[in-house]
Amino acid sequence: MSEKNEFAEGKVICNEIGGAVLEVLGQKREFSVKSLINVLQKAQQDGHNYGEEREKGMELAIKILQKFG
């Protein structure tokens, strides 16, 4: 497995969590694990096709955040 592929999943997860952080802060919402999960779940349910990689990244990011929430 190449290094690029080895870390691809982690990069996608970090991008999804980072994007959720920016959205919460940009909207001046209360910053919490729950607010990050809400942003990711809203994106999952918005009817837009983000592609298999991002959809999987959102799913994994939510699972990780739920362990802290």
Side-chain angles (χ1 to χ4, degrees):
M1 179 179 281
S2 73
E3 190 172 304
K4 180 179 177 183
N5 291 335
E6 182 179 351
F7 298 112
E9 187 176 84
K11 183 178 177 182
V12 172
I13 293 167
C14 288
N15 285 342
E16 293 304 328
I17 293 173
V21 168
L22 292 174
E23 187 164 337
V24 168
L25 295 176
Q27 294 176 358
K28 296 182 176 23
R29 294 171 48 191
E30 178 184 347
F31 186 80
S32 66
V33 171
K34 183 64 179 158
S35 65
L36 298 177
I37 292 170
N38 289 343
V39 166
L40 291 168
Q41 287 176 333
K42 184 178 175 185
Q44 280 184 316
Q45 299 166 359
D46 70 1
H48 183 76
N49 181 3
Y50 292 100
E52 185 178 334
E53 186 176 50
R54 277 201 66 197
E55 295 286 347
K56 179 85 170 159
M58 283 188 244
E59 182 182 321
L60 292 171
I62 289 169
K63 287 180 180 180
I64 290 168
L65 290 169
Q66 285 173 334
K67 291 182 181 185
F68 297 98

